[in-house]
Amino acid sequence: MQTTLAWIVLVLPLLGGITLVAWPGEPPRAATRLIGIGSILIAFALAVTIFVSLLMNAPDDRTFTSGLYEWISIGGTSLDLSILVDPLSVMMMLIITGVGFLIHLFSAEYMQNDRDYRRFFAEMNLFVFSMLLLVLAGNFFFLIVGWGFVGLASYLLIGFWYERPAAVAAAKKAFVMNVIGDAGLVLGVLLILRQLGTLDYQQAFANADQLGANSGTALAVCLLLFVGAAAKSAQIPLHTWLPDAMEGPTPVSALIHAATMVTAGVYLIVRCHALFQMSELAGQIIAVIGAATLLMAATVALQQVDIKRVLAWSTVSQIGYMIMAAGLGAYSAAMFHLLMHAFFKACLFLAAGIVIHALHDEQSLNKMGGLKKYLRVAYFGMGMGCLAIAGFPGFDAFFSKDDILATSLAAGPVGVACWIIGVVGAFLTALYMFRLLFRAFFGPEPTGGYAHAPHPSKWWMAVPVIILGVLSFVGGWIQVPFGWTGISDWLAPVLADVQHPLEATNAQVWLTIGFSTAAALGGIALAWWLFAADPQRRIRLAAVARGPREVMREAYLFDEAYDDVFIEPGRELGTVLLDEVEPKGPQGLITGTAAVIRDTARVVSASENGFVRSYAFAMIAGLAVAGVILAIVVAGVA
Amino acid sequence: MIVPMSAYIVLSIVLLGLGMLGVMRRRNPLLLLLSIELMLNAGNILLIGFSRQWNDPAGQIFALVVMVVAAAEVVIGLGLVVAVFRSRMNLDVDEMSSMKG
C-alpha cells in the first residue's frame, strides 16, 4: 500500500506539469494555479498518509521496495525501475511536497504579473517530480536520473527570465558546475558497480564491506560520490554557482536553492552512509570541507548588500554544517538540521520575496530600512527565520545545530576542530542574519524614499510565510536534548547499520548549549550595536578593515581565480587552435583532399566533351585495341 | 553459282568500314543512324554467310533478331532526331553537347 501511494506521489507532479505543457493555447490562470498547486497538495496529503501508515508499523517494518519492471538485465546484473520507501525517503518526501506546496501557493501571487505563468508552474512541477525521483529511487541508476533532472529543472528556473543576460549566464554556470558533480557521481556509481556488482541500494549497502575498510577503493568511491554531493550542495570548491542562482525568481530560490535540491548532497551521504563509513579518511575530508565552507560562506554573507545573496551565502554556510555532520558520521543530526533548514530558510526566502515584491524588484539593502511598519507579515517571517537560523534558545537551529555540534565533540580530534569552527560559525550566522533584519526592517527609511511604495501582500503570500514562521519556532521541538529524540528514533531503522554511532555525553551537550547560545546572543547583540542602535555607526565604521572586507564581499575571489585558471586559458587555447592549428591541420586536410579530387576531375572530364562523334571514335579505337590484344593472345597461344 | 565465303567477308568488312567512317565523320544524326544500320547489316551478312557455310540456320535466325532490334533502335533514334529538331531547329550532333563534363 505504501509503495503504491509513493508511486502516485511520484507521478502526480509529473502529470500536473505535463497537463500544463500540453494545454492547448494559454490556460486560464486559475486553471494553471489549480493544476500546479493542486497536484503538489494531493502529493503532500498522500505523503502524510504514507508517513502515518509507517508510524503505525513497528520500527523494523518501515522499509518497502517496489519494482515496476525490470528495465535492463545484463551480465547477471539487473536494473529495476524501483523505489525505496523507508523513513529517510519519506522524510525527504514530506519536506519536498510540504514545503513545495507552501512555496507553490506563494508563487501563485508572486508570479501573478509574469507572462509565463504556465511555464513557471510546469517547470516547478518538473522540479518536484525530479526531486521526488531522486529521493525515492531504489537504486543508484535512478538516483542519477533524478540527480540529472533536478539539475535540468534548476537550470530552467534560474534562467526563467531568459531576457536577462545575467540570468542566462547564471543558469549556464549552475549547469556546468553541476555537470562536474554529475560526472563524479556517475564515476563513483560505476566504481560501485564494478566492485560490488550491483546498483541496488540494499544489496550494495549490505555488501559494502567488500570495498575493504579504509581501502583506496573505498576512499575513491566516497570521494567521487562526494564530488557529486559537493556540486549539488554548493561546497568548496564547487560552490560559486549558488549565489549567482539567485537570478531566478524568489520562490525558485526558496524551493530549489534553499529547501530541497541543494540538500541533495546531504541526503546522498546519509543514504550511502554504509559506504562512507568504510573510509574514515573520506569522512574526515568531507567534514573539513563542510567546516571550511560554513566558515567561508558565513564571512561572505556578512558583506553582501543584495538581500537574496545574503540568504544564498547563508544557505551555503548552513549546508556546510550538514555536510560537516554527515562527514563526521552524525547522520541523524545532519538530517535534523536539513529539516529545520528547510523550514527557516524557506521562511526567510519567502519573507524576502514579499519585500522584493512590495518594492518592485528592489533587492539592495541600501534601498531598504524601516520596513517593519509596512510589511508586518514579512517582518514576522524574517524575524522568526532569523531567530531560528541564529539558534536563539527554543527556536529550530538551537536544537538542530546544537545536535550537530554536540555530536561533533564526540567524534575525535577532527570533530573538536569542527566544533570550534561551528561555534564561530554560529556567532557569524547570528551576526549576518540580524544585520539583514536590522538593515531591512529597522532604522530610518532610505534617503530618497523607497523605489516603490511598499504594499502589503495578499493572503496567498502571507499564509505560507506565517506557517513556515511558526514552524521555525515549533519545528525544533521534535528533538530536544535530555527530552525526546523524534528524528533519531524515526531514522533509527535506516541508520541501524552504523558501526560506531556517535553519542554525545551530557557534559558535551551542556558545553555546546552554553557556547552556542553565547555565540548566538553575542552575534545578535553585536548586530544590534552595529546596525540598529545607531544607524550612523555603520557609516562611521566604514573604513575599518576595508581590505579584508573587500575580499569577503568578492567571495574570496573564487570566481576570479576560476576565470584565470580555467576560463581564460581555455579561451586562449581555443584561439590558438582556431587561428593556428585549425587552418593548417584539419582545414588543410579537408581543402587538400578537395583540391586533389577537383584537379583529377578536371583532367578526366576533358574527355567528356559532349561530341557524339568523338565518343564513337573512342569506342572504335577501344575495339581496335581489344582486337589487337586478342590477336596477340591468340597468336601466342597458337 | 556459288558465292565464295571470302566475298561475304570482304563485303562485310567494306560495309563495316563505311559505317564506322560515317559515324565518325558525319554530323547529321540521320546519316549517323544510316551508318549504324550499315554496320549492323555488315554483321548480318557475315551471320548469313557463315550460316550457309556451315549449314546451320541459327545464323539466319540471329540475323532476323538483329533486324528487329535495329528496327526498334531506328524508331527511338528517329524519335529523338524529330524531338531535337523541334526544339532546336538544327540537326548537328556537335551542337548537342550540353551534357559534356
Side-chain angles (χ1 to χ4, degrees), chain A residues 350-429:
Chain A
L350 295 189
I354 293 181
V355 172
I356 295 167
H357 198 60
L359 298 180
H360 280 220
D361 295 333
E362 181 54 61
Q363 301 190 7
S364 170
L365 285 174
N366 292 332
K367 303 276 177 59
M368 296 176 192
L371 283 171
K372 70 176 168 180
K373 63 173 179 280
Y374 301 104
L375 304 170
R376 315 292 308 196
V377 174
Y379 176 53
F380 169 78
M382 194 66 90
M384 296 297 270
C386 284
L387 288 169
I389 192 175
F392 193 82
F395 285 78
D396 279 2
F398 172 73
F399 299 108
S400 61
K401 199 186 288 170
D402 284 10
D403 196 4
I404 289 178
L405 293 177
T407 328
S408 305
L409 266 187
V414 178
V416 174
C418 289
W419 183 86
I420 295 170
I421 294 176
V423 171
V424 175
F427 169 76
L428 292 172
T429 306

Side-chain angles (χ1 to χ4, degrees), chain B residues 20-39:
Chain B
M20 280 182 178
L21 272 177
V23 167
M24 284 187 286
R25 299 287 303 159
R26 292 291 174 179
R27 293 184 179 188
N28 190 320
L30 282 173
L31 290 176
L32 232 64
L33 282 174
L34 282 181
S35 302
I36 291 169
E37 284 307 302
L38 220 52
M39 288 193 287

Side-chain angles (χ1 to χ4, degrees), chain A residues 605 608-613 615-617 620 623, chain B residues 20 23-27 93-94 96-97 100-101:
Chain A
S605 70
E608 301 291 311
N609 54 12
F611 295 140
V612 178
R613 297 184 305 138
Y615 298 156
F617 175 76
I620 289 162
L623 194 65
Chain B
M20 280 182 178
V23 167
M24 284 187 286
R25 299 287 303 159
R26 292 291 174 179
R27 293 184 179 188
V93 289
D94 285 1
M96 302 177 202
S97 59
K100 74 175 173 197

Side-chain angles (χ1 to χ4, degrees), chain A residues 102-341:
Chain A
L102 291 174
I103 293 172
H104 271 69
L105 196 61
F106 182 89
S107 317
E109 172 66 24
Y110 190 85
M111 301 302 286
Q112 183 65 40
N113 297 322
D114 200 283
R115 66 188 160 88
D116 280 328
Y117 204 59
R118 180 239 307 249
R119 182 162 63 90
F120 180 81
F121 277 101
E123 289 174 359
M124 288 289 267
N125 276 19
L126 170 71
F127 168 76
V128 173
F129 161 73
S130 319
M131 193 68 203
L132 286 169
L133 181 64
L134 193 161
V135 298
L136 280 171
N139 55 46
F140 282 104
F141 184 84
F142 286 100
L143 170 83
I144 292 174
V145 174
W147 200 268
F149 266 141
V150 290
L152 169 70
S154 163
Y155 167 79
L156 289 172
L157 284 163
I158 294 170
F160 182 76
W161 286 314
Y162 53 81
E163 305 92 342
R164 299 184 188 172
V168 174
K172 210 158 54 181
K173 184 173 177 182
F175 199 76
V176 169
M177 291 292 225
N178 272 297
V179 165
I180 297 173
D182 294 353
L185 179 68
V186 169
L187 289 177
V189 168
L190 289 178
L191 199 55
I192 290 170
L193 179 64
R194 184 191 144 97
Q195 297 300 122
L196 303 179
T198 180
L199 288 178
D200 186 77
Y201 278 157
Q202 288 171 319
Q203 286 172 24
F205 298 153
N207 299 326
D209 48 359
Q210 285 177 16
L211 288 175
N214 291 322
S215 67
T217 316
L219 181 66
V221 167
C222 295
L223 289 184
L224 284 171
L225 291 182
F226 180 65
V227 170
K232 206 55 102 194
S233 292
Q235 299 297 294
I236 292 175
L238 297 171
H239 63 281
T240 57
W241 65 272
L242 186 55
D244 286 3
M246 297 298 120
E247 289 293 336
T250 305
V252 172
S253 310
L255 179 61
I256 302 183
H257 306 116
T260 56
M261 186 190 81
V262 288
T263 57
V266 182
Y267 165 80
L268 178 71
I269 297 176
V270 175
R271 169 61 78 201
C272 301
H273 64 271
L275 303 174
F276 279 91
Q277 63 185 1
M278 280 294 119
S279 177
E280 211 177 325
L281 179 61
Q284 288 170 349
I285 293 173
I286 292 167
V288 168
I289 289 179
T293 307
L294 90 82
L295 193 62
M296 183 275 300
T299 54
V300 175
L302 273 176
Q303 293 300 328
Q304 301 300 315
V305 285
D306 183 316
I307 187 168
K308 282 181 74 181
R309 279 187 172 256
V310 177
L311 293 175
W313 283 106
S314 138
T315 305
V316 176
S317 176
Q318 295 301 311
I319 300 168
Y321 274 103
M322 299 174 214
I323 293 280
M324 181 179 90
L328 292 172
Y331 302 117
S332 76
M335 289 307 293
F336 185 25
H337 199 52
L338 190 159
L339 178 65
M340 296 303 109
H341 179 255

Side-chain angles (χ1 to χ4, degrees), chain A residues 530-541:
Chain A
L530 278 173
F531 302 110
D534 177 4
Q536 296 307 312
R537 183 172 286 130
R538 179 168 66 82
I539 296 153
R540 282 200 305 276
L541 294 175

Side-chain angles (χ1 to χ4, degrees), chain A residues 505-566:
Chain A
T505 62
N506 285 1
Q508 286 166 335
V509 173
W510 282 117
L511 188 68
T512 305
I513 290 178
F515 270 92
S516 75
T517 308
L521 295 178
I524 295 171
L526 183 59
W528 173 265
W529 184 75
L530 278 173
F531 302 110
D534 177 4
Q536 296 307 312
R537 183 172 286 130
R538 179 168 66 82
I539 296 153
R540 282 200 305 276
L541 294 175
V544 175
R546 191 181 282 276
R549 282 170 52 196
E550 187 63 30
V551 174
M552 288 180 203
R553 184 173 301 131
E554 298 298 323
Y556 296 97
L557 305 170
F558 269 98
D559 277 331
E560 288 74 8
Y562 288 166
D563 268 356
D564 291 346
V565 176
F566 296 112

